[in-house]
Structure formats: structure tokens, C-alpha cells
Amino acid sequence: MITLTERQSLILTAIVRDYTEGGNPVGSKTLVQELPMKVSSATIRNEMAHLEDLGLIVKTHLSSGRIPSIKGHRYYVDHILKPEKVDSQDLKVIQHSLGGEFHKIDEIVAHSADILSQLTSYTTFTLRPELKDSRLNG
């Protein structure tokens, strides 16, 4: 399992958030201004090299900043992101919306994505898993 230092976690968090918001690679100079701690660009570049070695971030080309890899996004969601509690009003909306009758898993997933989009005002999308190895057990 990967374990990051606090500084590495802050750098990965900033890269994920900046890339998610702007869609552009994130460089060390940007991170120097954003991080809550004062460190040099060289220190950040060293930490970014370590995150790159771990496969959490990647360069898009030689002189670019870094973007999060799929593994980096997964690490961020699983280990860094702290989910907010659902307030009681939103919980009621979810419970009411999912109280209907569904005949296919795809309907539940699509409906759940619609609810999530409405509650967060974010665009949502879903990806279905590969079904070649799936089995139903009775």
C-alpha cells in the first residue's frame, strides 16, 4: 500500500483539484503559491518526482506540469478526500427518489446519477463494468 507524507498528500490534492477545475497540467510554481506551507519549487519538483515514481501523477510532455493518473485519482478518493455528511433534506430526497420500482440495474444507476447531479449541481456520468466475467448467484 502507498503511504504519503503530509506534504505529498497536499501536493497530490492540489494537483487533482487544479486539474479537475482547469483541465491543465499543474506546475511547481503554481503549487508554491497554493500550498499552505512554504517550500521551494525544487522541493515541490522532488516531491512530484516521487509521486510520479509511485504512478500517482504523470507528465503530459517533457517540460509540462503534472496531471493526476487514474491511480492518483483513485488514491485521492480512497485516502485523502473526506466526504461531507448528507443533510437530512437531501437524505429525504434520495430516499423518496429511490423508492420507485426498478427492473434493471442500469435504471437504478442512471436514476442515482440524476439524483446526484440534482443535489450537487455537478455533471454526473456512469460507466458500467465489464460483464464478461460477471455471474449471478441465486
Side-chain angles (χ1 to χ4, degrees):
M1 180 173 140
I2 297 173
T3 303
L4 300 182
T5 65
E6 181 181 350
R7 182 166 57 200
Q8 291 165 347
S9 292
L10 289 170
I11 290 170
L12 180 60
T13 297
I15 291 171
V16 168
R17 289 188 178 160
D18 284 3
Y19 182 71
T20 300
E21 289 174 9
N24 296 313
V26 182
S28 58
K29 289 181 183 176
T30 300
L31 294 173
V32 164
Q33 298 169 355
E34 290 183 14
L35 293 179
M37 60 185 71
K38 297 296 174 204
V39 293
S40 69
S41 288
T43 299
I44 290 176
R45 283 192 300 276
N46 286 336
E47 295 288 23
M48 289 169 75
H50 181 70
L51 293 171
E52 193 173 351
D53 290 342
L54 293 172
L56 299 176
I57 60 175
V58 294
K59 284 186 193 180
T60 56
H61 55 78
L62 188 60
S63 63
S64 74
R66 308 305 196 287
I67 64 171
S69 64
I70 292 172
K71 184 177 178 181
H73 277 288
R74 180 85 264 156
Y75 186 90
Y76 173 77
V77 169
D78 290 344
H79 301 286
I80 298 174
L81 188 64
K82 303 292 185 240
E84 296 178 21
K85 283 197 157 250
V86 177
D87 70 37
S88 60
Q89 185 61 34
D90 289 345
L91 187 58
K92 288 177 184 175
V93 168
I94 294 167
Q95 289 170 335
H96 177 72
S97 296
L98 290 176
E101 214 174 288
F102 299 99
H103 300 286
K104 295 180 183 177
I105 298 258
D106 289 350
E107 291 175 4
I108 296 169
V109 172
H111 193 66
S112 298
D114 289 341
I115 294 167
L116 182 61
S117 180
Q118 290 170 10
L119 292 175
T120 63
S121 298
Y122 290 123
T123 301
T124 58
F125 63 94
T126 59
L127 299 173
R128 64 186 308 177
E130 291 286 331
L131 297 177
K132 66 180 181 170
D133 296 325
S134 298
R135 290 184 190 192
L136 290 177
N137 293 324

